[in-house]
Amino acid sequence: MNLVGKVMQYQMQNEVPPQYEQVRRVIDDNVRSAHLTPYQLVTRHPELGRDNARVLGDFSRAIILRHPLEFGLKTVPMLFASLTSYYPVSTLPPPPGGPQHGWTEQSVNVLLSFDRLLYSSNALFPYCALLWLGLLCWPRTRPQWSVQLMALLVLTVSFALLLTTLGGYFLSDLMRVHVVFDPLLLLIVWGTILGIPAPLLARSKPRRMKKQQEP
């Protein structure tokens, strides 16, 4: 289901071999007009759901394996978009005549605004990742355990981000999936903002000066 969802998201349904023409017409009609999810599509067309939707899986793999570069290039923008796609849970007003919670509602709104600010800072993750990977490649800072640890976190989050982006086909779903590694994203971004690299660079400078003073 995820594969056919990605094909529909990237609108690559017309790049399929001729033997899947019938499935292509159904998928193309859905992309152009119906806009159903893969699960809704199977409900409307039960023949596509036989054998655990095997025909949809074969259909999607035939497209992706024949056009891996196009699929990859269309995934890159989604990697960045998924970092900041924010879909808050809708809240309903209290029923007429029910208890009013003015101060609690204001407190929740403040927390939601703060949460949205934190989430928007995820856009800085690519720059922070480049910084820590650069420090890892720099011989003077590579031995530092903090550089190695942060680089490990960067690689872990990058893998999780790539995996969820390749598997998800709705931006509204990615925020829910990112809950698993959102704390690591915050640690990397705000740890970098608060100046973790500064002491590392400062520690490498005295070592260089000490070497220059040695006879």
Side-chain angles (χ1 to χ4, degrees), residues 1-4 38-39 42 45-61:
M1 288 300 183
N2 293 75
L3 289 179
V4 72
Y39 294 97
V42 168
H45 301 276
E47 68 278 5
L48 299 180
R50 295 172 184 168
D51 297 328
N52 295 320
R54 181 177 180 178
V55 65
L56 290 179
D58 295 340
F59 169 85
S60 305
R61 281 188 290 271

Side-chain angles (χ1 to χ4, degrees), residues 27 30 35-36 47 58 64-65 71 80-81 85-86 108 119 122 127 139-140 149 156 170 172 214:
I27 300 296
N30 179 64
H35 305 295
L36 300 176
E47 68 278 5
D58 295 340
I64 296 173
L65 293 177
F71 186 83
F80 296 97
S85 59
Y86 189 89
V108 170
Y119 206 85
N122 289 345
Y127 306 101
R140 291 176 180 170
L149 176 60
T156 302
F170 287 132
S172 56
E214 291 179 354

Side-chain angles (χ1 to χ4, degrees), residues 157-178:
V157 171
S158 299
F159 175 75
L161 182 64
L162 178 63
L163 194 64
T164 54
T165 304
L166 288 173
Y169 46 87
F170 287 132
L171 283 176
S172 56
D173 288 339
L174 293 179
M175 180 181 177
R176 172 178 55 83
V177 179
H178 287 181

Side-chain angles (χ1 to χ4, degrees), residues 78-173:
M78 298 301 300
L79 287 171
F80 296 97
S82 66
L83 285 171
T84 55
S85 59
Y86 189 89
Y87 291 84
V89 178
S90 60
T91 56
L92 298 176
Q100 303 294 322
H101 304 285
W103 69 271
T104 55
E105 182 179 355
Q106 293 177 0
S107 301
V108 170
N109 289 334
V110 170
L111 291 175
L112 285 175
S113 300
F114 181 67
D115 179 67
R116 188 152 198 166
L117 173 64
L118 287 178
Y119 206 85
S120 63
S121 67
N122 289 345
L124 300 176
F125 171 74
Y127 306 101
C128 299
L130 289 176
L131 174 61
W132 287 110
L133 293 178
L135 290 174
L136 183 66
C137 295
W138 193 20
R140 291 176 180 170
T141 53
R142 184 186 305 159
Q144 300 294 331
W145 68 268
S146 52
V147 172
Q148 297 174 6
L149 176 60
M150 291 297 287
L152 176 62
L153 293 179
V154 165
L155 293 175
T156 302
V157 171
S158 299
F159 175 75
L161 182 64
L162 178 63
L163 194 64
T164 54
T165 304
L166 288 173
Y169 46 87
F170 287 132
L171 283 176
S172 56
D173 288 339

Side-chain angles (χ1 to χ4, degrees), residues 128 131-132 150 183-199:
C128 299
L131 174 61
W132 287 110
M150 291 297 287
L184 295 181
L185 270 172
L186 292 176
L187 176 62
I188 293 170
V189 171
W190 288 97
T192 306
I193 292 175
L194 295 177
I196 289 181

